[in-house]
Amino acid sequence: VEKNLKLEERITMLQQQNEELRARIEQNTVITRQLSEENANLQEYVEKEVEEKKKLSRTNEELLWKLQEGDAVSPVKLPPTPSTPFYRCSSGNSSPAKVRTLRR
């Protein structure tokens, strides 16, 4: 009888441990899913950033090439800018308060 009581206590203790471990597994599964989703989102973000960087790099190279080609093809300099300012309305409204002076 004494041995049976000890075994029943042991069974109860092991069942509690088993439930605690199952709860931890479930919690870890939820966390793993969240981290996987976050990882996928970050990977997508990084891929977009890499593509944007490549695009900007190509644009930069193209602009540098155009600049170099422009210098090589056209040795004639542009005429100097006029010293008189020209006026532009910043909002489309011709009110004097909205007019700005732009120098070229």
Side-chain angles (χ1 to χ4, degrees), residues 9 14-16 23 25 33 39-40 42-43 51 53 55 65 73 76 91 101-102:
E9 288 177 13
L14 290 173
Q15 286 175 338
Q16 288 174 348
I25 288 171
R33 283 191 195 123
N39 186 35
L42 288 172
Q43 188 66 33
E51 286 303 313
K53 185 178 178 182
K55 181 180 175 184
W65 181 82
V73 172
V76 179
S91 67
T101 302
L102 297 176

Side-chain angles (χ1 to χ4, degrees), residues 8-73:
E8 286 178 8
E9 288 177 13
R10 178 90 170 134
I11 288 172
T12 304
M13 184 186 74
L14 290 173
Q15 286 175 338
Q16 288 174 348
Q17 284 181 348
N18 193 17
E19 286 182 32
E20 289 172 7
L21 290 172
R22 285 178 196 249
R24 286 175 60 184
I25 288 171
E26 196 172 312
Q27 185 180 17
N28 285 341
T29 302
V30 169
I31 291 171
T32 299
R33 283 191 195 123
Q34 290 172 344
L35 290 174
S36 293
E37 186 176 322
E38 185 178 346
N39 186 35
N41 290 338
L42 288 172
Q43 188 66 33
E44 184 178 330
Y45 174 77
V46 166
E47 289 173 9
K48 286 180 182 178
E49 287 292 315
V50 166
E51 286 303 313
E52 184 66 21
K53 185 178 178 182
K54 286 179 184 178
K55 181 180 175 184
L56 289 171
S57 181
R58 286 191 300 268
T59 302
N60 189 31
E61 287 179 22
E62 181 181 330
L63 290 172
L64 284 172
W65 181 82
K66 285 181 180 181
L67 183 63
Q68 290 171 351
E69 286 298 308
D71 288 345
V73 172

